[in-house]
Amino acid sequence: MLKYQDNEVKYYYNGDENIRPFISLIVTAYDRNTYLMDAINCAVNQTLDKDKYEIIVIKNFYDQKIDEFISKHKMKSIISSGIEGYYPYLAQKYASGQIIVFLDDDDLISTEKLKIIYDIFQDNNIGYYHNNYNVLMNNTIVYDKLINPPKFKTMVIKNNNKLKMVYFLEKKLAYANNSCIAIRKNLLETKKEWLKNQVANIDRFLFMAGLLSNLDLYIDSRILTTYRMHDKQTSALQDGDINILINRKINFINKSLPAFENMYKMARGSEFENYMYTRIINLKLAYNFWSFSKKYKIEKNPYILYLRSGNYFEFPRLFIYKSPLFLRKKLISLIYSV
């Protein structure tokens, strides 16, 4: 057992030092313990042999009941004073496994998920994995076209085909939700300085790390994650009040822009530089749309940029973002039913 305090970590408990796991399952919580035990129990009750995975709980608070449970089950425990975006950096630093799997405190995973991931990553060519998810609202599984992922078939995207497929993967939300993602630890280690500066949109960063690697992507259509919607989320879409919705979207975009600019810098010089540039354009157009302003001037014609990149599916979004001001609230009301 090791306990110490430094600039990054206020407390660290090393769990069971005798195991040499293949997988490190990272459970994270920031300013919220409401659902954390549900996530931890999902981690404990996996069908994968216990010696093949470790559990690391990263949070920014003490909780006697939860901390005692963590200690009893010999998990690693990290209490950090850093921002939430710093957690994946700590994960790659302290994880012992070759594969890192993420689980947000308010989400759930199926009992067989780690066994499935273990089997898939026996193929050394797989660098990034993403599974499908369903949505839980008020303790009921629901379907909502705004938050559920579109249907797709399980696919392996070969390294030499990633650029061609990136906008297809974007449409299929192959980047969305930390709790759906697994990635080789060494892909994060090579990007750790960028990871340290990633203030938000961690799932996007993990996706970019997979794209920028020379390894394949495994996109799994199986539903192995349950994404919980609740009123404590900063990204929740449905509020019943259009002004609350607009403010949340603006705050989310303001938080996301520095994160996307960090990823754009990371992608510079690679074949995905243009892809990340279009993501930033999307955010700026979205800000102008939601704020009913023209704060951001788009230097390049986004229609031409998207046409050249093959990103045709976002053309309707561009028309909406560039619609006249008097139409925007009406469009928001129709699309989001508020």
Side-chain angles (χ1 to χ4, degrees), residues 3 14 50 55 163 178 208 228 261 272 312-313 316:
K3 301 178 182 179
N14 202 30
K50 301 302 181 186
I55 302 168
L163 182 62
N178 298 338
M208 278 304 300
R228 193 195 305 261
E261 287 165 355
F272 294 99
Y312 309 116
F313 85 92

Side-chain angles (χ1 to χ4, degrees), residues 5 21 24 33 57 110 156 167-168 204 216 244 251 253 258 267 269 274 292 299 308:
Q5 185 170 350
S24 294
N33 64 359
V57 181
S110 64
V156 175
Y167 289 109
F168 173 83
R204 283 278 191 176
D216 304 337
I244 293 175
N251 289 337
I253 294 166
N274 193 61
F292 308 100
E299 296 176 0
R308 288 176 177 171

Side-chain angles (χ1 to χ4, degrees), residues 149-150 165-175 313-314:
M165 295 291 291
V166 68
Y167 289 109
F168 173 83
L169 296 173
E170 176 92 14
K171 187 176 181 180
K172 299 302 182 183
L173 303 183
Y175 62 86
F313 85 92
E314 286 182 337

Side-chain angles (χ1 to χ4, degrees), residues 305-322:
L305 186 66
Y306 288 2
L307 185 64
R308 288 176 177 171
S309 67
N311 185 16
Y312 309 116
F313 85 92
E314 286 182 337
F315 273 31
R317 186 183 300 177
L318 283 174
F319 282 109
I320 291 173
Y321 285 164
K322 295 172 78 67

Side-chain angles (χ1 to χ4, degrees), residues 241-254:
D241 185 307
I242 192 169
N243 293 314
I244 293 175
L245 174 63
I246 288 171
N247 287 334
R248 280 194 170 188
K249 296 296 285 187
I250 290 172
N251 289 337
F252 178 77
I253 294 166
N254 282 333

